[in-house]
């Protein structure tokens, strides 16, 4: 009898232990869930983004995209600094009013100014849209001279007043050389942090392949824009693929028309900006703004696995391109840094195109240097 009672006590004690263990696990699980929920609710520090030329067409399209999260993600608060020239001050004021009226949840503040120092203060990302456009009858040197003075002043202000890790994207043409000028006058900004926009051309190339094969644009990847953001750029599909039935196939194989790929396709991408001006009587704004968001987003948040994008970056001599040029390469991005994709096979046709656009950049660099002197 005593043994039976002892067995009963032990069994009851074991059962009680199990109940306590289950309760302990439930409490621990609930605490973990609450902690994770608090982490999700915890608001990130705002990132300050500068947009120059903000009252212009591209700027007007770009700032709401940034405020909505298209550039830095749907959970990243932003403070917008908008800069433009004195004659555009009233228009800039109107853009600020519209941003306030739109009530963007991610927008934590707006500065609209014609003062370059105020605009550059503590910025983490600078999107340089403002520049002097080439007008009828102007020589290339005249345009370059105007942009040298603009970018000299803005580079100095960025160097003195921007955040130490500020990332710079130059959009205004000639974008590659404007970026080089900016680098010249902001030597303390790391060369890895100064880039120019060729993502627009990259996206145009993706779009043309998508239209040609009637596939979704998201299934096309790894086109390349080599060189200058100009009519000498080289849109290259030799390493591009399309996902078909969960398998990746080469673009050249699926298009099966080298004549089109080596001629009409290249010319269409090179001349797309001019075609849009002819159709709209205005330059590309929406697509340029979208491409700027794509460029910064991938740079900061990273590119998808086994996917590269095109960025105008400081050449280190890769693929035989003269070091010291801002040249468009295929890059991957991770943790805020870009890396040029290495080891791609370059055929004779591509080599010729890549060298021609590099030569144009060398000439532009020489021209900019003469303006500086």
């Amino acid at each position: 009898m005593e043994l039976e009672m002892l067995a009963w006590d032990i069994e009851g004690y074991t059962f009680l232990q199990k109940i306590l263990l289950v309760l302990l696990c439930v409490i621990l699980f609930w605490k973990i869930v609450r902690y994770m929920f608090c982490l999700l609710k915890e608001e990130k520090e705002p990132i300050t983004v500068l947009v120059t030329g903000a009252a212009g067409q591209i700027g007007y399209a770009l700032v709401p995209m940034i405020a909505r999260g298209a550039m830095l993600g749907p959970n990243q608060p932003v403070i917008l600094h908008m800069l433009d020239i004195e004659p555009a001050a009233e228009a800039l004021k109107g853009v600020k009013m519209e941003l306030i009226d739109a009530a963007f949840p991610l927008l934590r503040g707006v500065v609209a100014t014609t003062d370059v120092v105020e605009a550059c203060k503590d910025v983490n990302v600078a999107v340089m849209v403002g520049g002097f456009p080439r007008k009828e009858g102007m020589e290339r040197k005249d345009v370059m001279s105007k942009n040298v003075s603009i970018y000299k002043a803005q580079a100095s202000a960025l160097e003195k007043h921007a955040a130490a890790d500020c990332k710079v994207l130059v959009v205004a043409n000639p974008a590659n050389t404007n970026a080089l000028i900016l680098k010249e006058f902001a030597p303390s900004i790391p060369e890895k942090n100064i880039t120019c926009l060729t993502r627009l051309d990259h996206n145009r190339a993706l779009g043309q392949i998508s239209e040609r094969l009637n596939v979704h644009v998201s299934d096309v990847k790894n086109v390349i824009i080599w060189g200058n953001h100009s009519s000498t750029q080289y849109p290259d599909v030799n390493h591009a693929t399309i996902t078909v039935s969960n398998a990746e196939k080469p673009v050249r194989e699926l298009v099966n028309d080298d004549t089109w790929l080596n001629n009409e396709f290249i010319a269409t991408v090179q001349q797309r900006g001019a075609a849009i001006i002819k159709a709209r009587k205005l330059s590309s704004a929406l697509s340029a703004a979208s491409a700027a968001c794509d460029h910064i987003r991938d740079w900061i948040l990273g590119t998808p696995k086994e996917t590269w994008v095109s960025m105008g970056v400081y050449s280190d001599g890769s693929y035989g391109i003269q070091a010291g040029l801002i040249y468009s390469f295929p890059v991957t991005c991770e943790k805020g840094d870009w890396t040029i994709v290495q080891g791609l096979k370059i055929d004779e046709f591509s080599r010729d195109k890549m060298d021609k656009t590099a030569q144009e950049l060398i000439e532009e660099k020489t021209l900019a240097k003469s303006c500086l002197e």
Side-chain angles (χ1 to χ4, degrees), residues 17 22 42 57 60-61 73 97 103 130 140 154 156 177 183 214 255 263 282 299 310 318 357 361:
Q17 274 187 317
V22 169
E42 189 177 311
Q57 273 203 100
Y60 185 71
M97 290 163 67
R140 283 177 71 203
Q154 293 180 355
S156 298
T177 303
K183 182 191 171 298
N214 194 27
V255 171
N263 294 281
L282 295 165
W299 188 3
S310 300
S318 293
T357 190
L361 284 169

Side-chain angles (χ1 to χ4, degrees), residues 50 52-53 83-85 116-117 120 127-135 138 142-158 170 172-174 177-179 181-183 185-186 371-372:
L50 165 66
T52 71
L83 175 69
D84 219 311
I85 56 175
V116 68
V117 171
C120 291
V127 186
M128 317 301 283
V129 179
F132 195 91
R134 188 171 182 174
K135 297 179 180 178
M138 288 185 74
D142 298 330
V143 182
M144 191 70 73
S145 181
K146 293 279 187 184
N147 280 296
V148 163
S149 62
I150 292 169
Y151 277 83
K152 182 178 178 180
Q154 293 180 355
S156 298
L158 280 171
V170 177
N173 289 321
T177 303
N178 282 344
I181 294 164
L182 190 144
K183 182 191 171 298
F185 289 100
C371 293
L372 291 171

Side-chain angles (χ1 to χ4, degrees), residues 161-290:
H161 303 288
D165 62 346
C166 180
K167 287 178 165 50
V168 182
L169 168 62
V170 177
V171 176
N173 289 321
N176 300 58
T177 303
N178 282 344
L180 202 59
I181 294 164
L182 190 144
K183 182 191 171 298
E184 182 75 18
F185 289 100
S188 70
I189 298 177
E191 59 191 35
K192 291 273 285 185
N193 282 21
I194 297 176
T195 64
C196 80
L197 186 71
T198 56
R199 184 60 175 269
L200 175 56
D201 310 299
H202 182 99
N203 288 351
R204 286 167 172 169
L206 292 175
Q208 289 303 304
I209 297 298
S210 166
E211 290 285 299
R212 177 77 175 188
L213 294 174
N214 194 27
V215 297
H216 197 279
V217 72
S218 63
D219 290 329
V220 189
K221 71 174 189 178
N222 293 351
V223 299
I224 302 169
I225 302 299
W226 298 100
N228 199 2
H229 176 60
S230 73
S231 59
T232 68
Q233 66 178 257
Y234 171 44
D236 177 6
V237 298
N238 288 325
H239 311 280
T241 62
I242 297 175
T243 302
V244 181
S245 302
N246 296 320
E248 290 184 2
K249 295 190 175 180
V251 163
R252 277 203 181 272
E253 180 185 311
L254 292 176
V255 171
N256 195 28
D257 187 345
D258 284 352
T259 301
W260 182 80
L261 285 171
N262 291 345
N263 294 281
E264 186 180 337
F265 164 74
I266 291 174
T268 299
V269 177
Q270 288 174 334
Q271 302 294 335
R272 190 67 163 182
I276 288 169
I277 289 172
K278 186 177 179 182
R280 291 188 70 231
K281 307 298 182 274
L282 295 165
S283 62
S284 310
L286 185 154
S287 55
S290 180

Side-chain angles (χ1 to χ4, degrees), residues 94-115:
V95 177
K96 180 178 178 178
M97 290 163 67
E98 286 205 73
L99 284 168
I100 293 167
D101 293 349
F104 293 110
L106 292 173
L107 190 59
R108 293 291 183 268
V110 186
V111 173
T113 182
T114 58
D115 180 356

